[in-house]
Amino acid sequence: MKDVIISPVATEKSMLALEKENTLTFIVERKATKSQIKREIERRFDVKVINVRTMISLEGKKAMARLDPEFSADDVFGRIGVF
C-alpha cells in the first residue's frame, strides 16, 4: 500500500470535532487498517494518536483520529494548509 492518507476533510462537522474533541479527519485508503492509519498519522505529523474511528462514506473511507491532549489538532491542520 503506497499512501494510507489520501486527503484531509474540512467539513463543518469535522471542524467542530477538530475544535471540541481534538480530532483530525482524513479520507484514507479503503484497505488501510486502524493501526496502519494511526502509525501513519503519528509518523507524518509527529503527534500521539489516542484512538482511530473509521467509516465508509460516499467519499471513501474516513478516519477520525483523536489526538493526545498535549498535541493540538488545530496546529496540525494549520501546518498542512487546511486553513
Side-chain angles (χ1 to χ4, degrees), residues 17-83:
L18 178 92
E19 294 170 7
K20 290 192 174 192
E21 301 171 11
N22 203 33
T23 300
L24 300 171
T25 306
F26 295 98
I27 300 292
V28 296
E29 190 66 40
R30 195 171 188 103
K31 293 181 181 179
T33 64
K34 290 180 181 183
S35 60
Q36 289 172 327
I37 296 165
K38 179 180 178 177
R39 278 194 309 268
E40 180 68 15
I41 291 172
E42 289 179 339
R43 183 191 66 79
R44 192 181 285 190
F45 304 114
D46 196 29
V47 295
K48 185 170 190 300
V49 176
I50 294 174
N51 72 336
V52 175
R53 295 173 293 150
T54 59
M55 66 180 274
I56 304 295
S57 70
L58 294 175
E59 301 162 341
K61 187 173 187 177
K62 282 187 185 178
M64 291 73 69
R66 178 174 280 179
L67 301 184
D68 189 271
E70 68 184 57
F71 298 99
S72 171
D74 283 330
D75 290 344
V76 174
F77 264 25
R79 279 188 282 162
I80 61 177
V82 175
F83 45 72

